[in-house]
Amino acid sequence: MATYGIDLGTTYSCIAYVNDTNRAVVVKNAVGEDSTPSVVFFETDDNVVIGREAKNSARIYPNLVVSLIKRRMGEDDVELEFHGAVHTPVTISALILRELCQSAEQNTHEDVRDVVITVPAYFGVRAREATRAAGEIAGLNVLNVIPEPVAAALHYEAISTDADRTILVYDLGGGTFDTTAIRIEGQDISVVCTDGDHKLGGADWDERIADLLLKQFVEEHPGTEAAVSEDFLQELATAAEDMKRALSSLETRRYNARFADEVSRIELTRTVFENATADLLERTFTITGRTIDEARQRGVTSFDDVLLVGGSTRMPAVAEGLRSRFGFTPKLHDPDLAVAKGAALFALIESVKIALPAGAEAGPGGAGPSPEDMETAAAQLGVDTDSLRGLIGKKVTAVVPRAFGVKILTTAGDAEADDDGFLIDHLLHANAVLPAAPPTQTYGTVEDGQTGISVEIWEQAGARESRRVLDNEKIGNGTITDLPPLPKGSPVAISFAMDEMGTLRVHAVETTTGKDLDIELAIGGLSPEDMGQARTAVGKYTVGA
Ligand code: ADP
Ligand code: MG
């Protein structure tokens, strides 16, 4: 049975697998497209429509259609109601995954079960685990989640023959942006550093065009009600995306806007479009510059290649800007499919590890798998033994996506502390190589006679690490209880460890009594009951394109 790679995108999603000639190929969806709009239309209380038709339905049923849900992955307390049923970003993502896999099953006549799902490199632990949970709720066996730029690099590596190199991945999709420095050394692919903005993407470019269209329409028809018509605005939004795509290859594009009996023939040139969106592009370059600086501090002095990923990199201004600003000659291939194809390769790498008995992947000097093991595994995975050999020992090294720490009370006078004297002390910093286990930190209890110690775990919320409580987000907590009354300043040792999968484990111990506490942050805060409920909620729908 093949394993699949899924790019669960903010605006478009895509599924791929490695075929029997060892190439990663995209499976088309039910309506014959390579990628499917990540849009869900709750048509009735037991039927949902996903993809192009759902996107088109947004105009008529704005309150029953959900898009850009990935921007809210991992957020607490997001509840949306349709036909009386409550949904969350996780259950809505699960429905998208179900449709992708169901379509793939129809097209390949094979079950889709084992998958790797991609996530933006800067996703925090909660968003990552929420993505994994969405896969499980959709009935999939999620082998792993992998950062999108790493997937793109894997795809690039598979089609490139060069030796060791460092690459910069610039990914501008529909709703998210990130840049990531990646090093490829022999069998190792590792993230050097990553940065991004998950509220910036092609949709923002669309919005600017929609604004331009509306402005001109209103100027030509003063007193029109167009600006308050939900219907008209939706129509402009759809037209805006079409115009934007057209302007990637054409210098000018026209649109006939019609509202009530009023008509405007609006012409938009690429130059006007680029000027109206220059600040958005500029924001991506600021982040790119930051990534380059960060990479330099980590010993990367130049990039051998710059990869453009994400549909929005088809806008000519992207490559032009990277060229004029940074002197890069970016490469554009498969920008909207590279992530899914790379994920398919990674899914195969992961399943090789599972299919071959432990120890079989022994490196140089090791015994390696026996010919029989190789043949069995190759048959099981649907590839030939040669390509299997190439995959053994491939390693993807990920980094810590953001800084993680604990909330502590400071002694007076710390400028970063809040009014009550609290700040976040980070033990784990962004871009540390995974698995990561930084040195244990020891803190003191704050009051005499304390019989409990509360430990709060916080994650960096903004683009930069900051000790201010406001710049961080609480992701978990626990309490060491039943302590004898302790003198103030009793030592509490706290250790953080994050594994390759990004799961964070925190251990806190009051060292005089040895009383301790373990906190594991996984499955996006979903308890087994929550998972069960979500499965039922999702399972009651028939999904279709
Ligand atoms: P994501 O992974 O964020 O869902 P994709 O990588 O699939 O997104 O890119 C989708 C975005 O790319 C959309 O905003 C879409 O309008 C844009 N896009 C696709 N093709 C083009 C094009 N030819 N020119 C400009 N933008 C494009
Ligand atoms: Mg993407």
Short mmCIF file of all heavy atoms in Angstrom, two decimals, residues 185-188 359-369 389 392-395:
data_model
loop_
_atom_site.label_atom_id
_atom_site.label_comp_id
_atom_site.label_asym_id
_atom_site.label_seq_id
_atom_site.Cartn_x
_atom_site.Cartn_y
_atom_site.Cartn_z
N GLU A 185 23.32 18.00 3.42
CA GLU A 185 24.67 17.45 3.52
C GLU A 185 24.57 15.95 3.44
O GLU A 185 24.07 15.32 4.38
CB GLU A 185 25.30 17.82 4.87
CG GLU A 185 25.92 19.18 4.92
CD GLU A 185 26.32 19.57 6.34
OE1 GLU A 185 25.50 19.40 7.27
OE2 GLU A 185 27.46 20.04 6.52
N GLY A 186 25.01 15.38 2.35
CA GLY A 186 24.91 13.93 2.18
C GLY A 186 23.46 13.51 2.34
O GLY A 186 22.58 13.99 1.64
N GLN A 187 23.20 12.66 3.33
CA GLN A 187 21.86 12.12 3.55
C GLN A 187 21.01 13.00 4.45
O GLN A 187 19.85 12.71 4.69
CB GLN A 187 21.97 10.74 4.21
CG GLN A 187 22.63 9.68 3.37
CD GLN A 187 21.62 9.04 2.45
OE1 GLN A 187 21.14 9.67 1.50
NE2 GLN A 187 21.28 7.79 2.71
N ASP A 188 21.64 14.03 4.99
CA ASP A 188 20.97 14.86 5.99
C ASP A 188 20.34 16.11 5.41
O ASP A 188 21.00 16.85 4.68
CB ASP A 188 22.01 15.33 7.01
CG ASP A 188 22.00 14.46 8.25
OD1 ASP A 188 21.16 13.56 8.32
OD2 ASP A 188 22.85 14.71 9.12
N GLY A 359 17.38 -1.50 13.29
CA GLY A 359 18.81 -1.76 13.13
C GLY A 359 19.20 -2.00 11.70
O GLY A 359 20.36 -1.90 11.33
N ALA A 360 18.20 -2.29 10.86
CA ALA A 360 18.51 -2.60 9.47
C ALA A 360 19.08 -1.40 8.74
O ALA A 360 19.78 -1.54 7.75
CB ALA A 360 17.27 -3.11 8.76
N GLU A 361 18.77 -0.19 9.26
CA GLU A 361 19.22 0.99 8.55
C GLU A 361 20.65 1.36 8.93
O GLU A 361 21.11 2.46 8.62
CB GLU A 361 18.26 2.15 8.77
CG GLU A 361 18.30 2.77 10.14
CD GLU A 361 17.47 1.97 11.16
OE1 GLU A 361 17.08 0.82 10.88
OE2 GLU A 361 17.28 2.50 12.25
N ALA A 362 21.37 0.43 9.60
CA ALA A 362 22.74 0.70 10.04
C ALA A 362 23.56 1.36 8.94
O ALA A 362 23.49 0.98 7.78
CB ALA A 362 23.40 -0.61 10.45
N GLY A 363 24.33 2.37 9.33
CA GLY A 363 25.09 3.18 8.38
C GLY A 363 26.33 2.48 7.88
O GLY A 363 26.39 1.24 7.88
N PRO A 364 27.35 3.26 7.45
CA PRO A 364 28.57 2.68 6.92
C PRO A 364 29.16 1.71 7.95
O PRO A 364 29.25 2.04 9.12
CB PRO A 364 29.48 3.89 6.73
CG PRO A 364 28.56 5.08 6.66
CD PRO A 364 27.36 4.73 7.45
N GLY A 365 29.51 0.54 7.53
CA GLY A 365 30.10 -0.43 8.45
C GLY A 365 29.03 -1.32 9.08
O GLY A 365 29.32 -2.41 9.53
N GLY A 366 27.77 -0.85 9.11
CA GLY A 366 26.69 -1.65 9.69
C GLY A 366 26.30 -2.77 8.75
O GLY A 366 26.67 -2.75 7.57
N ALA A 367 25.55 -3.71 9.27
CA ALA A 367 25.19 -4.85 8.44
C ALA A 367 24.23 -4.46 7.32
O ALA A 367 24.32 -4.94 6.21
CB ALA A 367 24.57 -5.94 9.30
N GLY A 368 23.32 -3.56 7.65
CA GLY A 368 22.31 -3.19 6.66
C GLY A 368 21.28 -4.29 6.55
O GLY A 368 21.46 -5.38 7.08
N PRO A 369 20.18 -4.00 5.86
CA PRO A 369 19.12 -4.98 5.76
C PRO A 369 19.52 -6.14 4.84
O PRO A 369 20.30 -5.95 3.91
CB PRO A 369 17.97 -4.18 5.14
CG PRO A 369 18.61 -3.00 4.49
CD PRO A 369 19.89 -2.74 5.19
N ARG A 389 16.89 1.50 -1.36
CA ARG A 389 18.25 1.64 -0.85
C ARG A 389 18.61 3.12 -0.71
O ARG A 389 19.24 3.53 0.27
CB ARG A 389 19.23 0.93 -1.80
CG ARG A 389 20.53 0.52 -1.15
CD ARG A 389 21.27 -0.54 -1.95
NE ARG A 389 20.72 -1.86 -1.80
CZ ARG A 389 20.21 -2.60 -2.80
NH1 ARG A 389 20.19 -2.12 -4.03
NH2 ARG A 389 19.73 -3.79 -2.58
N ILE A 392 17.10 4.63 2.54
CA ILE A 392 17.52 4.18 3.86
C ILE A 392 18.54 5.17 4.39
O ILE A 392 19.47 5.55 3.70
CB ILE A 392 18.16 2.78 3.79
CG1 ILE A 392 17.14 1.78 3.25
CG2 ILE A 392 18.69 2.34 5.14
CD1 ILE A 392 17.73 0.42 2.96
N GLY A 393 18.36 5.59 5.60
CA GLY A 393 19.36 6.46 6.21
C GLY A 393 19.14 7.92 5.92
O GLY A 393 19.82 8.78 6.47
N LYS A 394 18.20 8.25 5.05
CA LYS A 394 17.87 9.67 4.84
C LYS A 394 17.35 10.23 6.15
O LYS A 394 16.56 9.59 6.83
CB LYS A 394 16.77 9.81 3.79
CG LYS A 394 17.28 9.99 2.40
CD LYS A 394 16.78 11.28 1.79
CE LYS A 394 17.29 11.43 0.37
NZ LYS A 394 18.74 11.29 0.26
N LYS A 395 17.81 11.40 6.47
CA LYS A 395 17.42 11.95 7.75
C LYS A 395 16.96 13.38 7.60
O LYS A 395 17.61 14.17 6.93
CB LYS A 395 18.60 11.88 8.72
CG LYS A 395 18.28 11.18 9.99
CD LYS A 395 19.50 11.02 10.87
CE LYS A 395 20.00 12.34 11.42
NZ LYS A 395 21.35 12.26 11.93
#
